[in-house]
Amino acid sequence: MQRRSFLKTSAMAGSAFLFSRKLPSATTASDDALIEIMLDEPLGTISPLIYSHFTEELGAVIYDGVWVGENSKIANTGGIRTALIEKMRQIKAPAVRWPGGCFADSYDWRDGVGPKDKRPRRTDFWVDDPDSKGLPKKGLPSYDPNQFGTDEFVRFCKLSGAEPYLAANVRSLNAYAFDQWVEYCNSPAGSTTWADVRAASGSPEPYNVQYWGVGNESWGCGGNFTPEEYASEYRRYQSWLPKYGVDLKLVASGPNQDDVDWTTRFFENIFTADRRIKPPFGWSMHYYTDLPEALKFTAEDVYPGYELADRMEKIMLDHWTAMGVYDRNHRVKLVVDEYGPWYRFSDTRLDPTHVLGQQLTVRDAVMTALTLDTFNRHPEKVGIAACAQLINCIDSLFLSHEEHFITTPVFHVFDMYKGHQGAQAVRVQFSVPDISFPRKAIRKQLSSTGDEAVVGGPDARLWGLNGSASVNGKVLTLTVVNPHLTEGRPTRIMLRGDASAASAETEVLGGGDVHEHNTFDQPNAVATKTSTASVSGKVVQFTLPPSSVTRLTITLS
Ligand code: AHR
């Protein structure tokens, strides 16, 4: 995507100026924004799997979030929270990853199958996390009762209409255990002892699980391997697995954010001619936007946060380029199976059991939306993406505790963006003034007046609008983020190509205070608003509110 900027220079660049205590001093031109949709420039089909989710055996993600138990007074379907299933169906959740995350490399799947009363209790990977301090010394969430295992997870996926994506333990189990997990899931009814165990749990027919991660973060919690050591493990784990007619798609454990060295050395190893092996389907990549404050952030923290979330595009492109050096035909796809804003140093969780839990505001919805737009703009590169995590952890769509269950602003983004799933992405050009804002790092207290000033250095700049577009039959879906904290953007949307607009419906999230969020007491403080945009031939006009995510559904004629 190319962007043109009307503002070539900032009036404030390089100068000292007083810093507003309320809002960052953002400058924009007053020109209307122009968005051109190039209907004749297709980019590829957006895999529905880009809209997938991640659930780890961590804090209250599984127990309380997904699993409440068959005997719970909370409405459940065979132990799974019914309200969650309904919302998963609403957003057309395509796949769910489980059981981790770091937990995956300390998990023995055999502990979680067979009669529930015979399943062992085990120490959870997260027992010593600072967030677990003060939690009970026995029971959840530090000790895993294994009441939720493979059968329960696959049932959750089926009820949700999603594909299961399992992550195998490479750090502490051997390749044979992986073979057997595939056997448990996929061997035909009556064919193996594991198939009989599965049948005794109520599932004679195989699960036909297609997506399998080979370890998780193998550079860190997944074994502290070097890329060469991990490549050697990967070779062993992939060299034989029972297929049972299923086209198994393996995902190798890729880099932490921009660690291109990890990518290069793994690809060099497995693509070298004399030791060449079948490349994996996917290359996992994790990128979290690390920020300090989930709720008590100031206005001047917002744009730098968006800049950080926006780094996703460069990180993806850097890995893609490194992969292409060895994988000339780009057979391996990026699998961004952990992403989202993460506030490691502020505790806003709704219950102490929510290890790595946090509140989610409109700001988080904007960051998640701009990440999904990034994926949409690179459909040929991204095979799967999974937001971390689904419920009660990091960038959650849902928050729950016992009978309480609410959606977050992030949920609305997934609901608004579902029209992109499986659609044809097309190129979009944004011609919009940049936002210019002062760098927080160079603020100083003026000793004479006590006011704050920004001294020296250029202002930072952020694009004025960004987004993505896709076409499915006669329906054009355009999603746009307006990051400006105070200014709406009157916007002209031009359809370039052989089609006009018959009508345009809009749905908007945000438009008010970017701190807004839902709570158990006020579950609908953040909701979306629908309206229509004005349409004339090839032109659609709409004002994109400040701090907002907007979806336009344009019917083409
Ligand atoms: O999502 C929380 C943790 O973040 C995951 O377990 C791990 O893979 C990552 O470091």
Side-chain angles (χ1 to χ4, degrees):
M1 184 198 57
Q2 293 164 351
R3 240 179 255 119
R4 286 197 301 259
S5 170
F6 292 138
L7 275 186
K8 294 291 176 228
T9 55
S10 159
M12 294 186 288
S15 63
F17 60 94
L18 290 182
F19 189 85
S20 157
R21 288 184 189 284
K22 286 191 184 136
L23 287 173
S25 177
T27 59
T28 60
S30 55
D31 311 62
D32 289 357
L34 173 66
I35 301 176
E36 292 161 276
I37 301 177
M38 313 303 184
L39 293 168
D40 297 336
E41 296 186 42
L43 303 173
T45 302
I46 298 171
S47 167
L49 295 169
I50 286 174
Y51 288 84
S52 299
H53 302 280
F54 172 36
T55 54
E56 179 166 1
E57 208 91 22
L58 192 185
V61 176
I62 297 299
Y63 297 102
D64 189 340
V66 177
W67 178 257
V68 295
E70 292 100 332
N71 301 321
S72 173
K73 60 182 189 310
I74 300 160
N76 69 85
T77 310
I80 296 161
R81 195 183 273 276
T82 304
L84 175 63
I85 295 167
E86 287 166 359
K87 293 290 180 193
M88 294 290 274
R89 296 194 83 85
Q90 182 181 331
I91 59 175
K92 298 192 189 307
V96 186
R97 178 177 181 242
W98 176 84
C102 293
F103 177 89
D105 281 291
S106 64
Y107 179 60
D108 188 336
W109 66 271
R110 293 165 294 202
D111 291 342
V113 298
K116 284 207 175 62
D117 59 351
K118 301 268 184 318
R119 297 186 191 175
R121 287 169 293 143
R122 303 286 189 211
T123 307
D124 192 279
F125 174 88
W126 295 95
V127 64
D128 294 322
D129 188 85
D131 267 14
S132 298
K133 205 170 164 201
L135 291 173
K137 291 286 169 258
K138 57 181 185 177
L140 290 165
S142 301
Y143 299 91
D144 177 8
N146 277 303
Q147 298 301 288
F148 187 91
T150 303
D151 304 305
E152 292 75 21
F153 172 67
V154 172
R155 192 144 39 80
F156 169 51
C157 290
K158 286 214 166 114
L159 289 165
S160 302
E163 288 290 321
Y165 167 19
L166 294 172
N169 179 343
V170 169
R171 183 186 64 80
S172 56
L173 284 186
N174 57 26
Y176 183 60
F178 184 18
D179 300 347
Q180 292 208 314
W181 201 6
V182 177
E183 183 173 297
Y184 181 82
C185 291
N186 294 355
S187 60
S191 66
T192 65
T193 302
W194 282 125
D196 292 346
V197 178
R198 189 186 66 224
S201 294
S203 305
E205 293 311 314
Y207 295 143
N208 295 330
V209 176
Q210 196 178 13
Y211 299 98
W212 295 87
V214 183
N216 169 77
E217 298 194 349
S218 301
W219 40 265
C221 62
N224 290 118
F225 295 114
T226 65
E228 290 75 21
E229 287 166 348
Y230 174 67
S232 147
E233 294 296 320
Y234 180 80
R235 287 167 178 285
R236 192 144 55 89
Y237 278 72
Q238 63 80 51
S239 48
W240 184 82
L241 283 165
K243 296 203 178 47
Y244 310 110
V246 177
D247 177 18
L248 298 180
K249 296 200 185 295
L250 302 187
V251 178
S253 176
N256 185 27
Q257 43 184 351
D258 57 358
D259 183 1
V260 171
D261 183 55
W262 178 273
T263 296
T264 300
R265 287 163 61 185
F266 177 85
F267 273 69
E268 198 273 335
N269 189 297
I270 66 157
F271 277 91
T272 304
D274 60 337
R275 290 176 288 134
R276 184 180 286 268
I277 57 170
K278 184 182 175 204
F281 158 79
W283 183 232
S284 158
M285 181 197 124
H286 294 175
Y287 174 55
Y288 288 100
T289 309
D290 280 313
L291 292 165
E293 286 287 343
L295 287 179
K296 287 192 202 146
F297 57 91
T298 59
E300 60 263 33
D301 292 326
V302 174
Y303 298 132
Y306 294 160
E307 271 188 316
L308 273 184
D310 206 32
R311 281 188 65 214
M312 174 68 87
E313 189 155 29
K314 176 167 177 0
I315 293 172
M316 277 170 40
L317 293 176
D318 287 349
H319 288 296
W320 189 252
T321 303
M323 290 154 73
V325 171
Y326 301 97
D327 180 17
R328 290 287 181 198
N329 296 317
H330 277 304
R331 283 179 294 169
V332 186
K333 303 297 172 200
L334 285 168
V335 171
V336 189
D337 49 13
E338 291 187 30
Y339 69 88
W342 189 346
Y343 306 95
R344 292 175 206 247
F345 305 110
S346 69
D347 189 351
T348 57
R349 58 189 145 163
L350 295 188
D351 188 79
T353 56
H354 291 195
V355 177
L356 310 190
Q358 60 190 30
Q359 253 297 1
L360 286 310
T361 64
V362 168
R363 172 173 72 157
D364 300 301
V366 169
M367 285 193 272
T368 306
L370 68 89
T371 301
L372 291 173
D373 284 321
T374 301
F375 298 152
N376 288 340
R377 292 194 299 267
H378 298 280
E380 80 291 10
K381 302 182 184 73
V382 192
I384 306 178
C387 186
Q389 301 194 8
L390 182 69
I391 182 165
N392 297 335
C393 186
I394 316 180
D395 196 26
S396 300
L397 284 76
F398 308 102
L399 297 173
S400 72
H401 184 55
E402 297 172 349
E403 74 279 15
H404 299 290
F405 175 80
I406 60 172
T407 58
T408 72
V410 177
F411 162 80
H412 291 296
V413 172
F414 276 85
D415 199 32
M416 289 163 69
Y417 276 51
K418 64 190 174 194
H420 285 304
Q421 291 189 24
Q424 181 66 233
V426 291
R427 192 170 76 80
V428 189
Q429 172 118 1
F430 292 85
S431 300
V432 188
D434 280 351
I435 298 173
S436 167
F437 63 96
R439 279 255 175 251
K440 196 179 181 185
I442 53 173
R443 276 193 298 153
K444 279 198 175 163
Q445 200 86 20
L446 290 180
S447 51
S448 50
T449 62
D451 282 332
E452 286 181 341
V454 175
V455 181
D459 291 341
R461 306 180 72 82
L462 181 71
W463 37 260
L465 293 177
N466 209 346
S468 64
S470 67
V471 179
N472 200 342
K474 289 279 174 204
V475 178
L476 165 66
T477 301
L478 170 67
T479 46
V480 190
V481 161
N482 177 7
H484 203 290
L485 282 164
T486 54
E487 292 180 14
R489 293 274 191 197
T491 300
R492 230 165 4 117
I493 298 155
M494 291 282 312
L495 304 186
R496 303 286 186 205
D498 191 21
S500 296
S503 63
E505 313 292 326
T506 65
E507 184 167 9
V508 175
L509 176 76
D513 184 352
V514 75
H515 294 84
E516 283 173 0
H517 56 277
N518 293 335
T519 62
F520 290 151
D521 290 337
Q522 288 191 293
N524 298 312
V526 181
T528 62
K529 292 188 194 75
T530 54
S531 65
T532 53
S534 86
V535 169
S536 171
K538 287 175 162 296
V539 180
V540 176
Q541 283 182 293
F542 188 68
T543 295
L544 300 160
S547 296
S548 69
V549 181
T550 299
R551 184 203 62 213
L552 290 104
T553 307
I554 300 171
T555 305
L556 300 174
S557 59

